[in-house]
Amino acid sequence: QLLWRAAAEINAGFAPGVVFIGGLAVYAHAVSSAQFAGLAAFSHDVDLLISVADYTDLKDIEQVVTNRRLSKSQFYKHGFEFDVYVEGHHGLCVPYTEAAAASVERAGLRVACVEHLLALKLVAFGDRRGSAKGDKDADDLLTLLLLASEGPREAMAAARIDDTGLDVLGE
């Protein structure tokens, strides 16, 4: 509950400039699904994409530390780690502007669409398979595939899943 409240505070303070990704976004999609809510697995941290303008404001109110090696920034809120990927300054396979345009509101948070989350999770799983985080990524991927079966999808967002991602799905 404390992690969710921390995410909700960031969501409210920086809407519409923030888009949640990662396990928390998968959870928000799953818990909002009548059919697959039972598969919702909570996360232990928060990952988000943010606009440059809102990132500037975020640095004014949080103690943000830049990790250039990983192309992200980090801060802690209520004891939880937030990984921040700034528009135009990250190496993720989904650009901020595209994620923001296709984002949706789920469980009160603005989150990336299922297809963008699939693309991002496929890369994460490819990098972390065989580890505890990789196991969580695999669970999230299965949940996202089930969620994708619920209705119309964002075809343009699905195009972010490259050949490597398709190979990982095949596995």
Side-chain angles (χ1 to χ4, degrees):
Q1 289 176 343
L2 196 55
L3 175 64
W4 191 261
R5 185 173 40 192
E9 288 173 14
I10 296 299
N11 187 73
F14 295 96
V18 67
V19 179
F20 290 91
I21 58 174
L24 186 70
V26 175
Y27 175 85
H29 276 283
V31 77
S32 298
S33 166
Q35 189 173 4
F36 299 116
L39 299 176
F42 208 70
S43 186
H44 299 289
D45 64 359
V46 178
D47 301 289
L48 59 93
L49 291 164
I50 194 166
S51 69
V52 172
D54 283 328
Y55 179 65
T56 301
D57 292 342
L58 177 69
K59 291 190 308 184
D60 289 341
I61 62 169
E62 300 291 345
Q63 291 184 320
V64 180
V65 177
T66 301
N67 185 333
R68 285 187 173 80
R69 184 179 62 82
L70 296 177
S71 300
K72 67 180 180 180
S73 296
Q74 298 169 294
F75 70 94
Y76 288 86
K77 189 168 192 66
H78 300 305
F80 296 99
E81 182 179 329
F82 281 66
D83 289 340
V84 181
Y85 300 90
V86 181
E87 173 183 17
H89 294 77
H90 62 76
L92 300 178
C93 65
V94 177
Y96 167 81
T97 52
E98 190 176 312
S103 66
V104 295
E105 186 175 315
R106 295 288 184 267
L109 295 181
R110 186 169 177 230
V111 298
C113 68
V114 168
E115 295 77 15
H116 280 150
L117 289 173
L118 264 169
L120 292 162
K121 276 291 177 182
L122 284 166
V123 172
F125 176 73
D127 292 343
R128 305 189 297 200
R129 79 177 89 192
S131 69
K133 286 187 175 189
D135 291 346
K136 174 69 166 69
D137 291 332
D139 290 344
D140 285 346
L141 281 169
L142 292 172
T143 300
L144 287 166
L145 288 170
L146 290 169
L147 289 166
S149 72
E150 284 191 311
R153 302 285 35 132
E154 290 284 338
M156 293 301 289
R160 286 288 168 189
I161 300 173
D162 63 10
D163 289 341
T164 302
L166 292 174
D167 290 344
V168 170
L169 275 177
E171 292 175 30

